[in-house]
């Protein structure tokens, strides 16, 4: 009876922390889409709300870190429970980083709104961000439902994001070579593309945490890295 | 007496984990310098050892994560001891990322060795990497010695790294505008610069962990971000 009592106290504490994770996830999804939309619509005010909103995300991460530490100290969870608490901490860290990338995109929006658009690059970036936002939603659903299949699906979809990024990378190179006036804007746009691609990596890390949580095994370290631009042959 | 016995078991376990952190730190310092040197000397073989060596760093991170989880489960540390264990976990994560950035630089070395050098950019990047490597050494020393002043010094020096990056960013823009053949190599070199700048951020995070560990307070969230390139005015 006593043990059951302890177990349910742990569950209750954990539930509170998980509610914060979900709240944080919602804020991060919003930040992704708002930053991408502000870029596409040259909406500097919307970008500003993303920059300011990142503080709330950081504060939640901080709070989750404190509460998980307190939970560990107070309830001394072992085995599966401990693994769960450590997973929550890692998911929070991943969410916080995705928030940072959104903020970074919002920062560049101010600068990019002052110059002519480079083709429809901003729309392509928005589409890429949308895919990452959907992946994040699914990764968090997979976490709540302990849905291994959905988590696996998220991991697969990250390859598509990587491919979108690779295509954009080549496009930006072409634009820059065609017209040197495109160089500076394309450097910024390219950065944004890379940031979205990195967001995808962090979403994938969340999905991998779900697999680890359910199966107890880490996904292959050798998960194929599909960003091939680091070895893109150099035109001369 | 019994409590003291438990305390020393905790200390013994923690010492083992800390020894691994130091070993990992040594490997990461080596990876930073080797990747930068391979870039400067166009030494593809050396770059290959960095790529391969990253597996050992990842394995240490994995091991440290397992051992800290086991330590928490087994010894149920509270307050200061728990904070220490969580700090060790975070330092390990930071080191693992710095290792990843080194691997990423090594990947690009193969491609960049095939084309003419863009001025002395590779040497400038090597100097920047050297500064980050020294900062890492000091951050780990600060951790071992619980040296708040040294940790603060590391945090200050990150501004210099940011400034080196900002200068390089502008230089690369100029090279690209001068000659479109510079565009692709400069994109890769610029990425490397950004990777080194991010390494500096992770070293700073380690130094901040030391401050947190000793003082119990998190450094200002508002730590000035000195990378200003996201708001660099666009030449037209």
């Amino acid at each position: 009876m006593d043990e059951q009592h302890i177990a349910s106290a742990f569950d209750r504490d954990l539930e509170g922390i998980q509610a914060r994770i979900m709240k944080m996830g919602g804020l991060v999804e919003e930040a992704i889409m708002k930053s991408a939309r502000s870029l596409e619509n040259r909406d500097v005010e919307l970008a500003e709300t993303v920059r300011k909103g990142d503080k709330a995300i950081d504060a939640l991460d901080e709070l989750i870190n404190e509460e998980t530490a307190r939970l560990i100290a107070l309830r001394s969870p072992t085995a599966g429970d401990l693994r769960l608490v450590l997973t929550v901490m890692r998911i929070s860290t991943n969410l916080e980083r995705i928030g940072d990338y959104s903020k970074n995109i919002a920062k560049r929006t101010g600068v990019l709104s002052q110059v002519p658009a480079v083709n429809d690059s901003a729309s392509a970036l928005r589409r890429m961000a949308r895919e990452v936002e959907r992946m994040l939603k699914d990764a968090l659903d997979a976490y709540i439902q302990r849905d291994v299949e959905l988590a696996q699906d998220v991991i697969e979809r990250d390859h598509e994001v990587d491919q979108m990024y690779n295509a954009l990378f080549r496009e930006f190179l072409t634009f820059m070579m065609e017209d040197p006036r495109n160089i500076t804007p394309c450097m910024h746009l390219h950065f944004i593309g890379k940031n979205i691609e990195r967001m995808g990596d962090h979403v994938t890390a969340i999905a991998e945490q779900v697999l680890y949580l359910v199966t107890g095994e880490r996904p292959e370290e050798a998960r194929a890295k599909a960003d091939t631009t680091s070895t893109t042959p150099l035109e001369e």
Side-chain angles (χ1 to χ4, degrees), chain A:
Chain A
M1 199 58 200
D2 192 38
E3 200 168 303
Q4 202 181 352
H5 181 71
I6 291 170
S8 64
F10 171 83
D11 289 345
R12 200 182 51 232
D13 290 354
L14 186 69
E15 224 167 83
I17 297 173
Q18 285 190 139
R20 289 202 204 283
I21 284 274
M22 288 303 123
K23 189 181 169 192
M24 193 178 170
L27 290 179
V28 172
E29 283 172 33
E30 215 177 278
I32 298 173
M33 284 322 291
K34 275 190 183 168
S35 66
R37 225 183 307 130
S38 68
L39 178 73
E40 191 179 26
N41 302 338
R42 299 161 164 265
D43 187 338
V44 179
E45 267 175 56
L46 186 62
E48 192 53 30
T49 66
V50 176
R51 287 179 69 161
K52 284 187 182 149
D54 193 53
K55 282 201 178 61
I57 294 170
D58 287 350
L60 273 169
D61 177 47
E62 192 65 29
L63 202 60
I64 289 164
N65 271 316
E66 279 167 22
E67 289 181 344
T68 45
R70 204 178 309 137
L71 178 62
I72 293 172
L74 210 65
R75 311 286 177 208
S76 304
T78 53
D81 283 346
L82 179 62
R83 203 198 309 171
L84 182 51
V85 177
L86 294 176
T87 299
V88 168
M89 282 176 68
R90 290 207 187 100
I91 291 178
S92 178
T93 303
N94 283 308
L95 287 175
E96 191 269 332
R97 304 242 165 174
I98 299 171
D100 272 355
Y101 286 123
S102 303
K103 187 177 72 172
N104 202 285
I105 291 172
K107 272 194 203 169
R108 288 180 200 273
T109 292
V111 181
L112 281 166
S113 321
Q114 294 159 28
V115 291
V118 181
N119 273 38
D120 60 348
S121 306
S123 306
L125 288 167
R126 210 250 313 129
R127 280 193 297 278
M128 199 173 151
R130 188 173 173 75
E131 179 55 25
V132 169
E133 185 254 353
R134 281 180 184 152
M135 281 165 58
L136 176 56
K137 206 176 166 313
D138 287 345
L140 292 174
D141 278 352
Y143 168 71
I144 290 296
Q145 318 283 344
R146 304 286 188 270
D147 187 335
V148 171
E149 245 173 83
L150 187 56
Q152 201 81 59
D153 183 53
V154 169
I155 295 170
E156 294 294 322
R157 273 146 68 197
D158 192 45
H159 294 309
E160 284 163 43
V161 173
D162 288 342
Q163 272 159 19
M164 286 164 114
Y165 166 73
N166 291 340
L168 273 171
F169 180 78
R170 281 176 182 74
E171 225 176 74
F172 290 142
L173 285 182
T174 311
F175 292 150
M176 290 195 279
M177 293 195 204
E178 276 170 10
D179 186 345
R181 281 171 302 182
N182 284 334
I183 289 177
T184 314
C186 277
M187 287 284 274
H188 287 283
L189 289 166
H190 172 240
F191 247 135
I192 292 174
K194 189 70 192 170
N195 280 347
I196 300 173
E197 188 263 338
R198 286 230 170 88
M199 284 181 185
D201 290 344
H202 283 284
V203 174
T204 301
I206 294 175
E208 287 176 345
Q209 288 293 325
V210 176
L211 293 191
Y212 173 62
L213 192 60
V214 180
T215 66
E217 274 170 31
R218 298 239 168 244
E220 250 79 45
E221 191 263 341
R223 172 170 72 87
K225 279 275 172 194
D227 166 8
T228 58
T229 59
S230 62
T231 47
T232 294
L234 301 174
E235 289 88 332
E236 277 218 282

